[in-house]
């Protein structure tokens, strides 16, 4: 198993993993369709990055770091295939993302989530994310919690 960075050949994996996750727990919003349909435009070009977990040439997980403003990035679009869940792959991606952000000397990471995802929120807190007030016009109608991790 290895963590690899975005390449155009993984764009469909990024989209499919996230749509499957969203449809399982919530719904696909217009903002999701834009970002998932064109990750190069919405994530990579503005300065963000996407990581994938690859096992035997198959992409089994992904996460994105999307630029919000200079040195502040949203940790978003994390998804793991059902077959790979329970193997702490999400935590490996979380550690990799935090290490990457620290190397880049970013100030903080932001996460929008939903309180019904108790396991995810537990993991975010385990890695030091703290709940902060969520703005009314947050990018996701399903978002009811916002968390941040100060890196410096």
């Amino acid at each position: 198993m290895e963590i690899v960075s975005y390449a155009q050949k993984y764009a469909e994996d990024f989209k499919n993993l996230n749509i499957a996750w969203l449809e399982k727990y919530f719904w696909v919003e217009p903002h999701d369709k834009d970002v998932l349909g064109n990750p190069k435009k919405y994530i990579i070009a503005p300065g963000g990055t996407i990581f994938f977990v690859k096992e035997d040439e198959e992409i089994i997980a992904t996460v994105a770091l999307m630029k919000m403003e200079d040195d502040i990035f949203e940790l978003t679009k994390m998804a793991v295939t059902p077959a790979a869940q329970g193997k702490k792959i999400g935590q490996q991606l979380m550690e990799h993302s935090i290490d990457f952000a620290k190397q880049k000397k970013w100030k903080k990471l932001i996460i929008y989530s939903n309180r019904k995802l108790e396991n995810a929120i537990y993991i975010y807190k385990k890695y030091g994310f703290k709940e902060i007030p969520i703005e009314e016009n947050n990018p996701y109608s399903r978002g009811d919690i916002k968390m941040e991790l100060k890196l410096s």
Side-chain angles (χ1 to χ4, degrees):
M1 190 166 29
E2 66 176 322
I3 296 177
V4 297
S5 294
Y6 179 83
Q8 187 60 38
K9 65 182 177 179
Y10 302 133
E12 204 62 25
D13 293 299
F14 180 69
K15 181 179 178 181
N16 293 338
L17 276 166
N18 276 284
I19 286 178
W21 183 89
L22 286 166
E23 288 177 342
K24 179 177 179 179
Y25 294 100
F26 300 101
W27 57 89
V28 180
E29 298 184 31
H31 180 67
D32 298 314
K33 287 180 183 171
D34 291 342
V35 173
L36 296 173
N38 196 344
K40 199 168 189 169
K41 175 182 176 184
Y42 289 96
I43 298 171
I44 304 300
T49 193
I50 302 172
F51 297 116
F52 297 90
V53 177
K54 192 171 156 184
E55 186 176 61
D56 301 325
E57 298 307 308
E58 181 188 356
I59 297 297
I60 59 169
T62 188
V63 67
L65 296 170
M66 191 159 56
K67 187 174 185 175
M68 297 177 80
E69 54 188 84
D70 286 345
D71 300 327
I72 300 173
F73 285 72
E74 179 187 356
L75 192 146
T76 186
K77 307 296 182 233
M78 184 183 283
V80 179
T81 62
Q85 290 174 5
K87 298 179 181 177
K88 300 192 185 293
I89 291 169
Q91 291 185 54
Q92 290 176 38
L93 273 175
M94 178 69 74
E95 289 172 16
H96 186 81
S97 297
I98 291 169
D99 290 345
F100 179 85
K102 285 178 178 176
Q103 287 171 4
K104 294 284 188 184
K105 299 194 179 351
W106 293 345
K107 289 182 187 155
K108 59 182 158 181
L109 293 175
I110 300 291
I111 292 176
Y112 291 96
S113 192
N114 185 288
R115 293 176 193 283
K116 87 175 193 180
L117 300 173
E118 293 174 9
N119 289 346
I121 291 170
Y122 171 81
I123 291 169
Y124 303 151
K125 287 180 178 176
K126 175 180 169 181
Y127 284 95
F129 282 84
K130 306 269 189 247
E131 184 174 351
I132 59 172
I134 190 167
E135 61 272 34
E136 281 186 34
N137 62 341
N138 84 75
Y140 309 99
S141 64
R142 65 182 172 267
D144 67 1
I145 185 170
K146 182 178 181 182
M147 303 178 86
E148 75 174 7
L149 175 65
K150 293 181 179 172
L151 300 167
S152 57

